[in-house]
Amino acid sequence: MSGGVPIDDEARDDAVDVLGDLVEWELAPQRWERVDAIVVSLADALAQGDGEALREATAELELTGPVRITRIGTNSLIPVPERTLDRANHLVHALGRGQERQPQEQADVSTDGRGGDDDGTPAG
């Protein structure tokens, strides 16, 4: 972990929320380029375990989202590009796996030292 602040559940939840909203956005192509760069920053922060960078990128992504007023003469708005959507989806799954890791590790430990019988049912 390179950042001084670990990634907590709140930071993960906030990032997942804004990434989930992204699929409904319609932005100018130049704004989508910025969104894509921020999604890459989010992935880098997650990979490095940097909670502060994850929060900063999440806030930046929220601010880059659609605004109510569009200027006259602006480029037409388009839905999320496929590349950005794929990156966001992968990141949502990666963020979710981080939350699931701890309960799964605890579930794999039984009191007698044995796990299940590999068919999904507990050992008995």
Side-chain angles (χ1 to χ4, degrees), residues 76-92:
S76 60
L77 303 179
I78 61 171
V80 60
E82 194 68 30
R83 179 180 73 174
T84 304
L85 181 60
D86 287 345
R87 285 182 177 162
N89 285 337
H90 286 289
L91 188 52
V92 165

Side-chain angles (χ1 to χ4, degrees), residues 3 8 23 34 38 48 51 78:
D8 60 15
V23 299
R34 181 68 193 131
I38 297 168
Q48 295 179 12
I78 61 171

Side-chain angles (χ1 to χ4, degrees), residues 50-90:
D50 188 340
E52 185 176 336
L54 186 74
R55 285 184 182 278
E56 289 173 5
T58 299
E60 187 175 357
L61 184 58
E62 288 175 323
L63 293 173
T64 306
V67 293
R68 292 183 181 259
I69 300 170
T70 55
R71 295 180 187 207
I72 296 174
T74 57
N75 293 345
S76 60
L77 303 179
I78 61 171
V80 60
E82 194 68 30
R83 179 180 73 174
T84 304
L85 181 60
D86 287 345
R87 285 182 177 162
N89 285 337
H90 286 289

